[in-house]
Amino acid sequence: MKIYDRAGFPNPARIRIVLAEKNLESQVEFISVDLIGAEHKQSAFLAKNPNGVVPVLELDDGTFISEGVAITMYLDNLDGNPVLTGTTARQQALIHMMQKRADDQLIDAIGIYFHHATPGLGESLQAYKSPEWTHRKQWGERSLAKFASGMQYFNSVLATQPHVAGEHFSMADITVFAALMHASAAGVPIPPELSALAAWQARIAERPSVKNRSGQQFEADDLRRLGF
Ligand SMILES: N[C@@H](CCC(=O)N[C@@H](CS)C(=O)NCC(=O)O)C(=O)O
């Protein structure tokens, strides 16, 4: 199997955590896609994922699977024990419900803020955004407000249960964790009053699949190009 992604980025991190949880890292070849250079918007990459985003999984038979949820479901089911996406109908339903909320309220919301209300990944990607800066900034800032209320919502959930979808660690925890990682990189911390969310984040950060994960850091070249 091949994974097209970029080290250090939040949606790729979701799949790298899944691979570590499922002990599949050695079975995957990582192909690095130059996001800052807009490689993911060129025809060769769009043939793999017409949405022009990473990660993408390529199976050995040449099938391309994109979208974090779909990739996670595939990898989670390989060993017949899909603990991250649910082994019973009830678990599957609750995990997918919370996963969708985490996508909408957190990881997509902070992504829109980052790409549209800040310089994002820089010059090469400006052509793929609205040319109207005021419009873009307003949209991004509305999205940041959505992210802030999403953090409040997930704080209230985690004040009453150990994981995002209930008792057990799941795909929904991974998505919330990656969204908070993106927010932190974009200068948006967890507000101090959201203590249940912060305590959960600290606990998840200690899981071996998160703590020892390869590809946590941005590539040195990316940091330089982004001006860090
Ligand atoms: N819904 C997609 C989101 C993927 C996504 O937004 N990936 C980001 C990297 S973290 C990306 O490729 N961004 C490039 C861009 O928006 O130009 C998924 O679940 O895979």
Side-chain angles (χ1 to χ4, degrees):
M1 294 184 285
K2 292 179 185 155
I3 298 269
Y4 298 81
D5 79 350
R6 191 78 172 181
F9 283 85
N11 284 288
R14 289 165 64 182
I15 299 310
R16 288 174 182 244
I17 293 170
V18 170
L19 290 167
E21 286 283 337
K22 303 294 292 187
N23 281 318
L24 287 169
E25 282 164 310
S26 63
Q27 295 187 36
V28 168
E29 178 191 353
F30 289 97
I31 315 264
S32 193
V33 179
D34 180 7
L35 297 184
I36 295 176
E39 186 185 346
H40 56 304
K41 303 299 185 196
Q42 311 310 316
S43 54
F45 185 85
L46 294 175
K48 300 176 176 63
N49 178 8
N51 281 359
V53 289
V54 293
V56 174
L57 168 67
E58 182 179 357
L59 305 184
D60 293 341
D61 69 1
T63 304
F64 291 107
I65 302 176
S66 55
E67 290 304 321
V69 172
I71 298 170
T72 301
M73 288 185 68
Y74 180 82
L75 297 173
D76 197 25
N77 278 282
L78 284 178
D79 62 0
N81 184 29
V83 287
L84 299 176
T85 53
T87 53
T88 66
R90 183 178 181 280
Q91 278 176 353
Q92 285 171 1
L94 290 174
I95 290 168
H96 277 78
M97 177 182 78
M98 296 308 282
Q99 162 64 39
K100 177 69 174 146
R101 290 179 188 169
D103 264 353
D104 289 349
Q105 298 180 31
L106 295 183
I107 202 159
D108 290 349
I110 196 66
I112 290 169
Y113 166 72
F114 173 72
H115 286 291
H116 297 274
T118 82
L121 295 178
E123 276 309 306
S124 308
L125 287 162
Q126 298 311 311
Y128 304 94
K129 301 176 188 175
S130 161
E132 179 47 63
W133 166 243
T134 312
H135 168 259
R136 223 162 74 198
K137 192 160 162 56
Q138 276 173 357
W139 184 45
E141 282 174 355
R142 271 206 304 278
S143 210
L144 180 61
K146 184 176 183 181
F147 177 80
S149 72
M151 280 199 289
Q152 287 178 10
Y153 166 69
F154 282 97
N155 183 70
S156 71
V157 169
L158 290 162
T160 64
Q161 60 191 38
H163 292 100
V164 170
E167 287 303 309
H168 303 292
F169 180 79
S170 76
M171 156 171 82
D173 291 278
I174 298 174
T175 303
V176 174
F177 189 85
L180 295 175
M181 176 187 140
H182 193 179
S184 168
V188 180
I190 300 175
E193 65 276 16
L194 302 186
S195 55
L197 185 62
W200 167 89
Q201 184 194 39
R203 196 155 39 82
I204 300 301
E206 289 302 314
R207 285 182 80 85
S209 63
V210 176
K211 198 172 182 175
N212 308 327
R213 193 181 76 244
S214 67
Q216 307 210 38
Q217 304 296 327
F218 287 103
E219 296 190 6
D221 187 42
D222 285 351
L223 290 173
R224 184 186 51 71
R225 290 154 90 195
L226 289 170
F228 290 105

